[in-house]
Amino acid sequence: MIKILNISGRVATALLFLWITAVVAFGAAVDPDRLTRQANDLMGQGDLAGAVEVLKQIPAPASGGEGEAFVRSRLQIARLHFSLGEMDKALAAAREVLVLYPDNSEAKNFVASVEQARQPRYVTFLKDCLRFLPALAKGAVMTLLLVLCTIVISPIGGLLIALGRISTIRVISVACWFVIWFFRGTPLLLQLFFIYYGLPSLGITLAPLTAAVIGLGVNYSAYLGEIIRGGIQSIEHGQMEAAKALGMTYGQAMRRVIIPQTYKRLMPPIGNEFIALIKDTALVSTIAMVELMRAADQLFNTYFNVTALILAAIVYLVFTTVFTFIFEKIEYRAGIYEHR
């Protein structure tokens, strides 16, 4: 009898041990943190399908229970299915969350993103265009304003620099040479930085638009100064002598004879400079100017959508095409009497 009791006690002890082991094992099996770590390890190894199967083991919370681990697991499963191109499964995983938590914003946004991704590409592109164009239009207006201001300022500045460069007054000639040497020899970006960020240390603070107009205007005046000087000096010296023979002063000869003849020779290189100016306005985005490039960059960094950059490129192409056409017409009109 004692022997039977001893055997029964051992059996009971063994059964108790097995029960405790089963309870511990079951508890470990549904431990969300352990399963999450295991899934992360599988993802690190590139086994996405295995990670999905592990995450599926995290059960839905009981009534009134904490469901954070469940929500995280199902959203991660949705992302993994999305990366594998399994859109239906991705939606099903996200909707598991919405069944228990209808107001979960992350799951709702994910479902909306997946449904958008399933649309035809042209529909998505058109919707992106409608969403991005208003902000890009504002930036394009600012770009156009910068271009027009520089087109007004730089030819006048370039003409004055060119006349000073060929002046017989040594001080003026050297000063104009220095302006050309400095502004053609340093990057436009550096000049903009100095005007906007450097001048405040000297007590001069400028608004972004003012700094941008000054920087672009002076830089392009230096380039146009050399172009105009070359155009003036390309006119035969006999033209000046003939003007003086008619009793004109140097200033009258330049204004009435020499400079008018340089127009048609200057239009092609000046047109090229202004086409380059349209693209160079993108540099002013570095001094807090929200022009076309800055607007496109902000949209891309917000939505990580390349459509914003594509639209910006299209707008730049439209601008350069229109200005190219305009300068071709001006060039044609300037040389109309030489066409055969």
Side-chain angles (χ1 to χ4, degrees), residues 3-20:
K3 188 175 181 180
I4 293 173
L5 289 174
N6 288 336
I7 293 173
S8 299
R10 290 175 184 174
V11 171
T13 302
L15 290 175
L16 179 61
F17 176 77
L18 290 174
W19 181 78
I20 293 172

Side-chain angles (χ1 to χ4, degrees), residues 82-164:
F82 184 82
S83 65
L84 293 170
E86 300 168 345
M87 301 300 181
D88 292 334
K89 293 182 179 179
L91 285 173
R95 284 168 178 160
E96 282 188 59
V97 176
L98 293 176
V99 168
L100 296 177
Y101 306 100
D103 296 328
N104 187 282
S105 59
E106 189 174 358
K108 287 166 44 174
N109 291 337
F110 183 85
V111 169
S113 299
V114 173
E115 290 177 345
Q116 182 178 359
R118 300 178 71 178
Q119 293 177 343
R121 289 184 179 273
Y122 74 91
V123 174
T124 303
F125 180 75
L126 291 176
K127 288 183 177 180
D128 289 338
C129 290
L130 293 176
R131 179 171 48 165
F132 297 149
L133 277 176
L136 291 175
K138 292 180 181 179
V141 170
M142 184 57 65
T143 293
L144 190 59
L145 177 62
L146 288 171
V147 170
L148 294 178
C149 289
T150 307
I151 286 177
V152 171
I153 294 171
S154 58
I156 299 173
L159 178 61
L160 294 176
I161 291 172
L163 293 176

Side-chain angles (χ1 to χ4, degrees), residues 38-239:
Q38 185 179 348
N40 289 337
D41 292 339
L42 290 172
M43 284 189 285
Q45 298 169 13
D47 186 4
L48 302 185
V52 168
E53 294 303 320
V54 171
L55 290 170
K56 284 181 179 179
Q57 298 177 30
I58 298 177
S63 178
E66 178 61 43
E68 182 179 355
F70 172 77
V71 171
R72 288 202 314 267
S73 67
R74 292 311 182 268
L75 288 176
Q76 185 62 45
I77 290 172
R79 296 187 194 99
L80 291 173
H81 280 309
F82 184 82
S83 65
L84 293 170
E86 300 168 345
M87 301 300 181
D88 292 334
K89 293 182 179 179
L91 285 173
R95 284 168 178 160
E96 282 188 59
V97 176
L98 293 176
V99 168
L100 296 177
Y101 306 100
D103 296 328
N104 187 282
S105 59
E106 189 174 358
K108 287 166 44 174
N109 291 337
F110 183 85
V111 169
S113 299
V114 173
E115 290 177 345
Q116 182 178 359
R118 300 178 71 178
Q119 293 177 343
R121 289 184 179 273
Y122 74 91
V123 174
T124 303
F125 180 75
L126 291 176
K127 288 183 177 180
D128 289 338
C129 290
L130 293 176
R131 179 171 48 165
F132 297 149
L133 277 176
L136 291 175
K138 292 180 181 179
V141 170
M142 184 57 65
T143 293
L144 190 59
L145 177 62
L146 288 171
V147 170
L148 294 178
C149 289
T150 307
I151 286 177
V152 171
I153 294 171
S154 58
I156 299 173
L159 178 61
L160 294 176
I161 291 172
L163 293 176
R165 182 77 175 83
I166 62 178
S167 173
T168 55
I169 303 175
R170 182 69 175 171
V171 175
I172 296 177
S173 179
V174 170
C176 291
W177 173 87
F178 178 82
V179 170
I180 294 172
W181 170 76
F182 180 81
F183 285 98
R184 289 203 313 172
T186 56
L188 174 58
L189 182 61
L190 177 63
Q191 296 164 22
L192 292 171
F193 267 52
F194 177 79
I195 293 171
Y196 186 70
Y197 296 111
L199 289 182
S201 63
L202 303 177
I204 304 174
T205 302
L206 300 174
L209 178 60
T210 305
V213 170
I214 291 174
L216 291 170
V218 175
N219 182 272
Y220 274 83
S221 293
Y223 279 94
L224 293 186
E226 278 295 270
I227 293 174
I228 295 172
R229 180 188 65 81
I232 291 173
Q233 293 183 335
S234 70
I235 304 300
E236 294 78 3
H237 186 64
Q239 296 284 334

